[in-house]
Amino acid sequence: YFAELSSHQAAGEDVVIPKLLPWYPDSLAYQLNLTRREIRRQEVYFKLHNFLVAETESGAISRQEAVSMLPPLVLGVKPHHNVLDMCAAPGSKTAQMIEDLHKGEEGELPTGLVVANDSDNARCYMLTHQAKRLQSPCVIITNHDATTMPDLMVPSPTTST
């Protein structure tokens, strides 16, 4: 799709081409500076839009603001980590942490877990949809007021508490 958009741009059309975000690991992030309306309504983006929708629904890609990609990167989730995301909806950062959790050895399930919470029921529904498409058994979604969240301490395997 990038080559097709580039050919339109070379022909003098006003076309926006996705740009690689150089700071994201493994060159896996692009930024497309278009509004939803522009990408849906302009013919030149028709195939790209359909590709993005299909790949997002299958869980192959995640779409989110570039600034939202930073907190999970800084957190540096590993397959053995237990993460509590207290205000998780709509779920793009949570999805990124779930993906990071699964970056261990091929075919091995992580020993860690992501607990994703949001107090708003409607937003929790979006969070559930976002997490469900990743098909991870290592995520728990809760709908609870974070100020009164119960104690979720996971005992260390070396202690007897």
Side-chain angles (χ1 to χ4, degrees):
Y1 305 106
F2 293 7
E4 185 177 331
L5 292 174
S6 295
S7 69
H8 284 277
Q9 189 178 52
E13 293 180 44
D14 186 23
V15 177
V16 176
I17 298 174
K19 294 180 182 150
L20 180 69
L21 295 176
W23 48 265
Y24 197 85
D26 303 320
S27 300
L28 291 175
Y30 288 83
Q31 185 169 20
L32 183 59
N33 291 321
L34 291 172
T35 65
R36 287 178 187 226
R37 181 183 175 111
E38 290 170 328
I39 198 167
R40 288 179 181 159
R41 307 267 169 128
Q42 294 182 25
E43 183 66 31
V44 70
Y45 301 118
F46 180 77
K47 289 180 187 175
L48 177 62
H49 177 256
N50 288 341
F51 166 79
L52 292 173
V53 168
E55 295 301 305
T56 300
E57 287 176 359
S58 73
I61 65 170
S62 295
R63 295 188 286 171
Q64 69 186 105
E65 296 286 334
V67 69
S68 295
M69 296 176 187
L70 294 172
L73 284 179
V74 172
L75 190 57
V77 175
K78 303 288 184 222
H80 63 279
H81 287 171
N82 293 311
V83 180
L84 176 59
D85 189 350
M86 296 297 281
C87 297
S92 57
K93 289 183 281 292
T94 302
Q96 191 176 342
M97 288 187 283
I98 294 168
E99 290 169 351
D100 289 345
L101 198 68
H102 284 274
K103 285 185 179 174
E105 295 295 320
E106 184 70 31
E108 284 188 28
L109 281 177
T111 56
L113 176 72
V114 173
V115 177
N117 178 70
D118 203 273
S119 62
D120 184 281
N121 193 43
R123 289 176 55 85
C124 216
Y125 177 80
M126 291 186 298
L127 172 62
T128 302
H129 177 74
Q130 183 80 278
K132 184 179 177 182
R133 66 184 186 79
L134 297 175
Q135 301 181 20
S136 172
C138 303
V139 63
I140 297 172
I141 297 172
T142 60
N143 181 210
H144 199 80
D145 179 0
T147 61
T148 60
M149 195 76 169
D151 185 3
L152 296 174
M153 291 297 294
V154 177
S156 170
T158 58
T159 63
S160 59
T161 56

